[in-house]
């Protein structure tokens, strides 16, 4: 919920006082271009393309103005969501973890130094499926900056080296199907390339 247009498409409130935070276990991680297998417990798995930062030092109660010292590498990733299951859980007022944290639901691309990509709050990124662009965003449109997100998270959780922070998705989310080819970019850097099975 870090991009206003995505909130509109999912009919969420646009006035959030703090970033919305949820966690995925390490078993959710899918990397190195391995295929994503669509699970049998959902008929509506959505892709959500996000810029991902990798934490490079331990931090707790990080002040926002110093948060940039805690990451140097970024990539583009997919936060897969079982949208039908999420809707059921939300309706009952239950946590989202089952719809967000299932195995292989956190896809990451190849990490590159931030210096190669540019200003963290001015990055163009997009997702192509089967050669067609389906999502496009720019981190300048975030409701909460990367540094604000890090400061907020570190109030509650100690950040450790290697932790990954997905920073929110722009409008354009949709359903993936067996046989799709997904490719994710930051600027001209193709960092993500995998298939669904």
């Amino acid at each position: 919920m870090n991009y206003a247009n995505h909130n509109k498409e999912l009919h969420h409130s646009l006035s959030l006082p703090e970033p919305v935070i949820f966690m995925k276990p390490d078993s959710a991680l899918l990397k190195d271009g391995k295929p994503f297998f669509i699970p049998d417990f959902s008929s509506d798995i959505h892709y959500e393309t996000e810029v991902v930062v990798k934490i490079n030092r331990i931090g707790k109660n990080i002040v926002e103005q110093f948060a940039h010292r805690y990451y140097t590498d970024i990539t583009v990733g997919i936060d897969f969501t079982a949208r039908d299951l999420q809707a059921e859980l939300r309706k009952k007022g239950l946590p989202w973890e089952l719809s967000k944290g299932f195995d292989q639901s956190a896809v990451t691309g190849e990490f590159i130094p931030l210096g190669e990509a540019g200003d963290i709050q001015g990055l163009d990124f997009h997702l192509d499926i089967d050669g067609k662009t389906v999502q496009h965003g720019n981190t300048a449109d975030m409701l909460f900056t990367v540094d604000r997100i890090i400061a907020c998270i570190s109030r509650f959780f100690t950040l450790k080296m290697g932790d990954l922070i997905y920073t929110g998705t722009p409008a354009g989310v949709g359903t993936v199907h067996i046989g799709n080819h997904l490719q994710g970019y930051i600027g001209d850097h193709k960092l993500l390339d995998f298939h669904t099975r």
Side-chain angles (χ1 to χ4, degrees), residues 100-147:
K100 286 281 196 179
F102 57 89
D103 288 353
Q104 302 183 337
S105 62
V107 188
T108 61
E110 173 190 352
F111 280 88
I112 60 171
L114 182 57
E116 290 183 22
D119 177 9
I120 190 69
Q121 292 308 144
L123 299 177
D124 257 329
F125 63 101
H126 70 276
L127 175 70
D128 291 353
I129 297 183
D130 300 332
K132 179 182 177 183
T133 299
V134 294
Q135 259 192 303
H136 178 265
N138 190 295
T139 55
D141 297 326
M142 287 179 167
L143 300 176
F144 303 101
T145 65
V146 172
D147 291 351

Side-chain angles (χ1 to χ4, degrees), residues 38 129-130 175-182 194-197:
I38 296 176
I129 297 183
D130 300 332
T175 306
V176 290
H177 304 280
I178 292 173
N180 282 159
H181 182 196
L182 286 75
F194 69 104
H195 292 78
T196 56
R197 298 284 187 252

Side-chain angles (χ1 to χ4, degrees), residues 141-176:
D141 297 326
M142 287 179 167
L143 300 176
F144 303 101
T145 65
V146 172
D147 291 351
R148 173 81 180 276
I149 293 168
I150 289 173
C152 179
I153 291 173
S154 71
R155 287 179 57 208
F156 302 95
F157 306 105
T158 298
L159 292 173
K160 297 183 178 181
M161 290 179 63
D163 282 348
L164 304 179
I165 299 177
Y166 286 61
T167 58
T169 193
V173 301
T175 306
V176 290

Side-chain angles (χ1 to χ4, degrees), residues 1 15 21 41 49 76 109 113 117 129 144 148 160 167 188 192:
M1 299 182 182
S15 56
I21 305 298
F41 54 75
T49 312
V76 64
I129 297 183
F144 303 101
R148 173 81 180 276
K160 297 183 178 181
T167 58
D188 295 329
L192 187 68

Side-chain angles (χ1 to χ4, degrees), residues 4-26:
N5 286 339
H6 174 61
N7 291 344
K8 286 179 184 177
E9 75 179 343
L10 293 186
H11 310 291
H12 294 314
S13 169
L14 297 179
S15 56
L16 299 170
E18 293 286 343
V20 174
I21 305 298
F22 59 89
M23 295 196 300
K24 292 185 183 239
D26 58 5

